[in-house]
């Protein structure tokens, strides 16, 4: 199967690991490499593409600035080092992207933020607004509060979750190796790069190795696991070398890498998840005008809702029914049940006066809504 081209994708997540970002011997950021990567991102951004970054490095930067010794850290030491390093990491990304006139926004997440629907919806909304403002979100695991029970432990899988949450159509994992090989290339000089993986079979999983870098918490095994998450969610993924300058340009020029292909796209996969996987927690009955608007591709506004039933929280799935009680669709609600009851039938300007806050215009955004035939 032919490899895709970088130019085909509109929303791209780029994952940068600690081992690429930080020189472990000097304890410093690889400034020239990062500037070259920022050049690549700025070019994509100028072409009108959405770019997101999942960046490791907070603990590595923190331990460098605090002059902590090499070796494993206790949990509280890692969290404290991350607290120092996160400030440095945010400043570094702000500076390199700001040099191109691009704003950046820091988002810190834990495993729960991408698995619990309410937090998921909040994070998704924040990312969406930053992209709408043409800023580049810089996302990292919130190592200052994450414990073993609520953490990813590697940013490959985090990047895959972010990619599906943001409805990205491509995830780029920059690595210390230029792709997936049919055998460990360090041990086998005859190992061959696998350029395209159209489905993740047991054979593909078997060739994945473990982490080799001191700073890396992942390895090829976690990258293949990330590929499962991404491709299931409708996002293509690729693994490419981050050891070279201008790694994204190298990909665009047809450089060596491994593509993991998805048969779906982010929107259809997400809507399949909403329609077929989530248990509805309530029902909204809407008027005929709202039914027509939804079938034309609009979001559901409070003004079109005539009845609210059930006990649900923001982010829960609900059934949407027409005035004749027939099911129109299903979606993720943007308000708790009590607030939805208070604002049903009201115009968007009334929502702020009723709730005392500037709420979201939509009861259910069209991206979170599946409309039946």
């Amino acid at each position: 199967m032919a490899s895709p081209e970088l130019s085909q994708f509109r929303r791209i997540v780029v994952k940068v690991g600690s081992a690429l970002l930080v020189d472990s011997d000097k304890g410093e950021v690889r400034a020239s490499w990062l500037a070259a990567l920022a050049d690549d991102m700025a070019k994509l951004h100028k072409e009108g593409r959405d770019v997101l970054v999942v960046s490791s490095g907070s603990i590595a930067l923190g331990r460098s600035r605090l002059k902590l010794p090499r070796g494993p850290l206790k949990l509280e030491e890692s969290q404290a080092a991350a607290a120092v390093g996160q400030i440095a990491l945010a400043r570094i990304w702000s500076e390199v992207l700001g040099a191109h006139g691009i704003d950046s926004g820091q988002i810190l997440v834990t495993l729960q933020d991408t698995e619990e629907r309410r937090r998921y919806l909040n994070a998704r909304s924040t990312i969406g607004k930053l992209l709408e403002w043409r800023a580049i979100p810089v996302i990292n695991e919130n190592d200052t509060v994450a414990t073993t029970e609520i953490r990813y432990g590697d940013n490959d899988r985090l990047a895959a979750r972010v990619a599906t949450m943001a409805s990205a159509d491509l995830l780029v994992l920059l690595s210390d190796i230029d792709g997936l090989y049919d055998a460990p290339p360090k041990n086998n000089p005859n190992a061959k790069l696998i350029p395209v993986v159209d489905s993740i079979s047991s054979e593909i999983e078997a060739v994945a190795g473990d982490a080799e870098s001191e700073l890396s918490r992942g390895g090829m095994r976690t990258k293949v696991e990330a590929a499962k998450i991404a491709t299931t969610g409708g996002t293509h993924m690729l693994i490419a070398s981050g050891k070279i300058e201008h790694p994204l340009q190298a990909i665009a020029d047809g450089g060596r890498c491994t593509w993991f292909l998805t048969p779906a796209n982010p929107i259809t996969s997400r809507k399949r998840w909403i329609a077929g996987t989530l248990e509805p927690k309530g029902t909204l009955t809407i008027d005929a005008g709202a039914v027509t608007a939804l079938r034309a591709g609009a979001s559901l506004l409070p003004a079109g809702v005539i009845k609210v039933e059930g006990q649900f929280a923001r982010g829960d799935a609900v059934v949407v029914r027409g005035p004749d009680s027939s099911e129109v669709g299903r979606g993720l609600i943007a308000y708790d049940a009590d607030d939805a009851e208070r604002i049903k039938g009201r115009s968007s300007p009334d929502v702020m006066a009723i709730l005392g806050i500037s709420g979201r215009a939509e009861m259910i955004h069209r991206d979170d809504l599946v409309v039946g035939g």
Side-chain angles (χ1 to χ4, degrees):
M1 187 176 293
S3 301
E5 296 181 1
L6 196 63
S7 59
Q8 297 174 228
F9 300 97
R10 64 172 184 85
R11 180 168 292 182
I12 301 169
V13 176
V14 181
K15 183 263 179 176
V16 181
S18 293
L20 296 176
L21 188 69
V22 180
D23 184 322
S24 59
D25 293 328
K26 298 180 180 179
E28 298 174 356
V29 170
R30 292 187 166 96
S32 63
W33 177 85
L34 184 57
L37 176 61
D39 288 344
D40 291 353
M41 291 180 178
K43 182 178 179 181
L44 294 172
H45 189 271
K46 187 176 181 180
E47 292 170 351
R49 306 179 199 284
D50 294 335
V51 181
L52 302 85
V53 180
V54 174
S55 177
S56 305
S58 61
I59 294 177
L61 288 171
R63 73 185 300 162
S64 171
R65 279 158 172 70
L66 294 166
K67 296 181 171 54
L68 301 178
R70 286 178 176 269
L73 298 174
K74 297 177 182 178
L75 174 61
E76 63 272 18
E77 292 172 335
S78 293
Q79 291 173 325
V84 173
Q86 279 169 358
I87 294 174
L89 187 66
R91 187 184 70 248
I92 288 163
W93 279 109
S94 177
E95 289 174 353
V96 297
L97 294 172
H100 296 275
I102 301 172
D103 291 320
S104 59
Q106 184 187 51
I107 300 176
L108 300 176
V109 298
T110 65
L111 178 64
Q112 289 179 340
D113 294 321
T114 55
E115 291 196 340
E116 197 272 315
R117 284 198 295 276
R118 189 183 186 98
R119 297 185 186 184
Y120 172 99
L121 209 57
N122 286 332
R124 177 180 165 84
S125 296
T126 300
I127 289 171
K129 184 56 67 175
L130 286 170
L131 294 174
E132 181 185 324
W133 289 341
R134 301 299 295 151
I136 291 183
V138 178
I139 301 151
N140 191 12
E141 183 154 24
N142 193 353
D143 289 309
T144 58
V145 300
T147 60
T148 303
E149 294 78 16
I150 63 168
R151 74 173 319 171
Y152 279 90
D154 71 86
N155 273 2
D156 294 328
R157 283 173 290 202
L158 171 61
R161 291 286 189 187
V162 167
T164 58
M165 180 168 62
S167 296
D169 44 11
L170 177 63
L171 167 61
V172 177
L173 298 186
L174 296 179
S175 178
D176 54 3
I177 191 169
D178 56 7
L180 178 66
Y181 284 75
D182 60 4
K186 286 191 175 182
N187 303 329
N188 187 343
N190 297 318
K192 295 180 180 179
L193 180 76
I194 303 172
V196 178
V197 176
D198 53 16
S199 65
I200 301 172
S201 62
S202 57
E203 289 79 12
I204 291 297
E205 291 181 293
V207 301
D210 295 317
E212 296 180 358
S213 166
E214 176 189 346
L215 291 179
S216 175
R217 291 182 293 191
M220 193 56 68
R221 187 176 303 280
T222 66
K223 288 173 174 55
V224 171
E225 290 174 3
K228 283 185 185 179
I229 296 169
T231 56
T232 299
T235 300
H236 292 290
M237 193 189 93
L238 70 84
I239 302 170
S241 175
K243 286 189 169 181
I244 59 175
E245 291 203 345
H246 297 286
L248 298 181
Q249 186 59 51
I251 295 167
D253 293 339
R256 288 168 65 84
C257 62
T258 296
W259 288 88
F260 293 82
L261 305 183
T262 177
N265 67 59
I267 299 298
T268 57
S269 292
R270 173 177 169 77
K271 293 199 172 185
R272 190 180 304 119
W273 170 68
I274 292 171
T277 306
L278 300 181
E279 180 73 22
K281 298 295 179 65
T283 300
L284 303 182
T285 302
I286 62 176
D287 61 30
V291 172
T292 300
L294 295 194
R295 289 187 170 147
S299 298
L300 176 61
L301 302 179
V305 179
I306 56 179
K307 187 177 182 181
V308 175
E309 298 174 277
Q311 289 299 317
F312 50 81
R314 169 172 156 74
D316 281 341
V318 296
V319 174
V320 180
R321 297 188 181 279
D324 60 355
S325 296
S326 62
E327 183 170 327
V328 177
R330 300 185 178 207
L332 303 184
I333 187 77
Y335 289 94
D336 294 342
D338 290 345
D339 287 342
E341 176 66 35
R342 294 170 65 193
I343 64 175
K344 71 179 183 185
R346 306 299 291 267
S347 64
S348 298
D350 290 340
V351 172
M352 181 175 178
I354 294 169
L355 299 182
I357 58 171
S358 181
R360 295 161 180 81
E362 307 90 0
M363 188 81 84
I364 303 176
H365 192 279
R366 63 184 181 184
D367 288 347
D368 299 323
L369 181 68
V370 182
V371 178

